[in-house]
Amino acid sequence: MNKYGRVALIGAGPGDLDLLTLKGKEYLRKADCIVYDRLCNKKMLELASSDCEMIFVGKANHHHTLTQDKINELLYEKAKEYDFVVRLKGGDPYVFGRGGEEALYLKERDIPVEIVPGVSSSIAALADAGIPITHRGLAKGFQVITAHSRKDEPTNIDFTQLMDEDVTLVFLMGLAHVGEIARGLINAGRAADTKVAVVSNGTTNHQRKVVGTLSNIESLVNEAGLESPSIIVVGKVVGLAADLDFFEKRPFFGKRFFLPKIQSFNYKLETGITEILYNELEERLEKDGAEVVTVVTGKIKPVECDLGFLELATTGDYIVFTSGNGVRSFFWNLFEKQGRDIRAVSNFRFAVVGEKTAAILREFGIVADLIPEKQTGAELAELLKKNVSEGVAINWLCGKVQSPEFEKTLGSDYALNKIVCYENVQNELTISDELKEEIRKCDGAIFTSGSNAKAVAGITLPDKVFSIGPSCTAVLKGQGVNEVTEAVDASYDGIINILRY
């Protein structure tokens, strides 16, 4: 029996979190230790368990945290310490990633190794820049070449072997040598007007590209100030970039927003409680092309609560939810803490604050009876007042700290039973000066709750500040933020709408 743990070399892909493979995600969740590179999307690390050891071994151009020999030794030592070690590498481990060297080193020391291929930037970054690496009539094949060299030395590429105009050339790690590459190809016989593109930070929402020819690409790159990682592509297919750059035509591409967020949880009967790692609004913004700068201000946790009102119910009493967290926390209490099932709520009607909360309620097999047109606590209270008969109990499943608008609008004439079933455990935020400056330079700051606004009070915000609703706006204005654009509809859809106009 092998006394050592195993090591998986995982390709993290070109940068886009969604281009990490399913097996890669699964292994990151199971890892005891992750040794990761500079070019990996840091959000991938959030998939790991809270007790997973994270070790950064990134390499910038000629600046190494650890040498390759030291990385090899580190992997070996960690395999002796842990059951499962993940080596997370940008792109694909075997495409100029030195993954083969690491695998051989471990194999020679009887460490079990598994390779999890990744999406190579040599193809994916071009695709998101609107450049297909092959195209009928334009390119019958492609060559991928490393342009990396020792410091201050030429690339040592034999350009005479790269003369076929029907083959797309892709140079990785070559930004510092773009002029040398262009001149080398021209001197070897390629036409000076051969199309060239350089793509920086491909597949990410801060992707940039310049398109030119071998004769002018160096000056265009210098003028644009492109940064590593960058890919150079040479060939006829570059001519398709203007027609196929769907990635860069998304509505928020090129925009950057600051979004403080609260980490939530999910609950399902078949899986129990799981953490929700990504904020839904954050994901939607990123899908639409925006960069999102986030800080986690707190974590939502369900709390055990008294559900004695279930025994006192009369037909027509209401259960009210003003958030999806309330829905999940209630059913967690009902199913997990009390061992009961859906029959316990058969006498009740249900009222929810909006369509999103109604959708979460439907996951538990219940259709909401009341949903206000405008998704605010005040509107929900007004709707209840129109529909609730005298003597009907209103059981509000809510958080420990809540906006007062629902309770205030409902007033004292109704039998309100307030049951706290979850809480927001605040994080102790430490925001570096570097991050503060990054936040200040954003195109806008988005706040989806008053607690998020309070958590970042005192830092300099961008000129444009967006709020999800009246309660959140009131907190911001109380902190001296006078210019606030408020969503008409207090929902993520409402936020997206005001960002677009």
Side-chain angles (χ1 to χ4, degrees):
M1 181 176 177
N2 197 312
K3 60 183 177 180
Y4 299 137
R6 63 192 177 103
V7 177
L9 307 185
I10 296 178
D16 183 348
L17 178 64
D18 289 340
L19 294 181
L20 176 66
T21 65
L22 293 175
K23 181 177 277 191
K25 288 181 179 179
E26 177 190 349
Y27 280 9
L28 286 172
R29 291 189 177 104
K30 294 178 178 178
D32 301 308
C33 175
I34 298 174
V35 180
Y36 66 98
D37 280 348
R38 178 177 69 94
L39 299 182
C40 300
N41 188 323
K42 300 305 181 290
K43 288 186 177 180
M44 294 177 185
L45 302 179
E46 295 178 18
L47 294 166
S49 65
S50 58
D51 56 353
C52 177
E53 183 181 6
M54 310 280 188
I55 304 174
F56 175 67
V57 294
K59 302 174 184 177
N61 190 24
H62 306 303
H63 295 88
H64 297 177
T65 305
L66 291 179
T67 64
Q68 186 61 52
D69 287 344
K70 292 293 184 183
I71 293 173
N72 294 345
E73 293 172 12
L74 176 66
L75 292 173
Y76 176 59
E77 292 301 322
K78 292 302 172 181
K80 292 192 291 183
E81 182 178 350
Y82 294 110
D83 290 333
F84 187 37
V85 177
V86 162
R87 173 71 170 108
L88 188 62
K89 304 173 72 67
D92 181 274
Y94 282 178
V95 179
F96 302 124
R98 305 189 74 171
E101 296 173 45
E102 294 173 0
L104 286 171
Y105 182 92
L106 295 168
K107 179 178 181 293
E108 289 166 1
R109 287 154 182 80
D110 296 322
I111 303 296
V113 179
E114 181 177 356
I115 308 301
V116 180
V119 177
S120 174
S121 60
S122 59
I123 297 173
L126 302 193
D128 278 355
I131 303 169
I133 198 165
T134 63
H135 188 84
R136 189 172 64 172
L138 297 179
K140 62 186 180 183
F142 60 89
Q143 290 177 271
V144 181
I145 306 115
T146 177
H148 185 66
S149 68
R150 294 182 181 273
K151 188 174 183 181
D152 300 324
E153 291 186 8
T155 58
N156 193 31
I157 297 171
D158 183 356
F159 293 102
T160 63
Q161 301 300 309
L162 307 176
M163 289 296 101
D164 190 340
E165 294 183 359
D166 293 326
V167 172
T168 303
L169 305 179
V170 181
F171 297 88
L172 303 184
M173 299 176 283
L175 184 64
H177 301 286
V178 64
E180 178 192 343
I181 291 168
R183 288 187 292 274
L185 288 170
I186 291 172
N187 292 337
R190 296 295 292 264
D193 62 355
T194 299
K195 291 182 173 63
V196 188
V198 179
V199 183
S200 171
N201 290 297
T203 78
T204 73
N205 287 342
H206 51 285
Q207 171 180 299
R208 297 176 64 202
K209 76 168 183 273
V210 295
V211 176
T213 64
L214 288 176
S215 62
N216 66 6
I217 192 65
E218 182 177 23
S219 61
L220 292 175
V221 166
N222 291 336
E223 288 171 14
L226 296 191
E227 58 183 24
S228 293
S230 290
I231 291 178
I232 303 165
V233 54
V234 180
K236 300 173 190 174
V237 290
V238 174
L240 298 172
D243 293 322
L244 299 181
D245 62 341
F246 312 116
F247 184 80
E248 297 176 7
K249 289 178 179 174
R250 293 173 297 163
F252 296 137
F253 186 80
K255 297 289 186 182
R256 176 182 281 194
F257 297 109
F258 173 50
L259 177 68
K261 64 179 182 178
I262 299 169
Q263 188 173 345
S264 191
F265 73 97
N266 198 2
Y267 170 72
K268 293 183 178 180
L269 185 58
E270 62 270 26
T271 59
I273 286 180
T274 55
E275 288 186 339
I276 297 178
L277 299 173
Y278 310 112
N279 177 281
E280 180 191 339
L281 180 57
E282 178 186 4
E283 287 189 330
R284 290 180 61 178
L285 290 169
E286 289 181 341
K287 295 284 189 214
D288 279 347
E291 286 184 71
V292 183
V293 178
T294 65
V295 293
V296 178
T297 64
K299 181 179 287 190
I300 299 293
K301 292 185 176 180
V303 296
E304 193 167 350
C305 62
D306 182 3
L307 298 183
F309 73 91
L310 296 174
E311 311 301 333
L312 306 174
T314 58
T315 302
D317 282 355
Y318 271 89
I319 292 177
V320 175
F321 297 110
T322 49
S323 75
N325 292 319
V327 177
R328 295 187 179 107
S329 299
F330 169 71
F331 283 103
W332 174 76
N333 272 281
L334 182 68
F335 296 152
E336 305 295 336
K337 295 302 175 182
Q338 297 206 351
R340 304 179 71 175
D341 60 29
I342 202 71
R343 291 172 294 180
V345 297
S346 60
N347 286 331
F348 290 89
R349 303 187 76 195
F350 288 80
V352 298
V353 73
E355 292 294 345
K356 181 66 179 177
T357 307
I360 295 171
L361 185 61
R362 283 196 297 273
E363 292 176 7
F364 295 93
I366 296 173
V367 177
D369 298 284
L370 297 179
I371 309 172
E373 289 187 12
K374 189 174 181 181
Q375 301 181 55
T376 67
E379 290 294 318
L380 176 58
E382 293 291 355
L383 186 59
L384 280 165
K385 287 159 73 171
K386 294 175 182 176
N387 288 273
V388 171
S389 305
E390 185 177 348
V392 169
I394 299 173
N395 301 284
W396 180 26
L397 280 295
C398 61
K400 193 171 184 179
V401 178
Q402 281 293 322
S403 165
E405 62 177 8
F406 173 73
E407 192 170 2
K408 182 179 178 181
T409 305
L410 191 63
S412 59
D413 294 336
Y414 294 85
L416 178 64
N417 179 24
K418 187 176 178 180
I419 303 122
V420 173
C421 61
Y422 68 91
E423 62 180 338
N424 177 10
V425 180
Q426 293 291 304
N427 286 345
E428 291 187 11
L429 276 183
T430 301
I431 301 178
S432 67
D433 290 340
E434 183 181 4
L435 180 55
K436 287 178 182 177
E437 182 63 14
E438 192 175 350
I439 291 168
R440 186 187 67 79
K441 291 181 177 179
C442 285
D443 294 289
I446 302 168
F447 292 92
T448 57
S449 71
S451 62
N452 277 336
K454 290 175 183 176
V456 297
I459 72 168
T460 302
L461 298 175
D463 291 337
K464 294 182 178 179
V465 177
F466 304 93
S467 163
I468 197 167
S471 298
C472 183
T473 301
V475 173
L476 287 164
K477 291 192 173 181
Q479 294 174 180
V481 183
N482 295 319
E483 296 296 325
V484 179
T485 302
E486 184 180 300
V488 176
D489 179 18
S491 65
Y492 288 166
D493 285 336
I495 286 286
I496 296 290
N497 287 336
I498 59 173
L499 292 176
R500 284 179 172 162
Y501 297 104

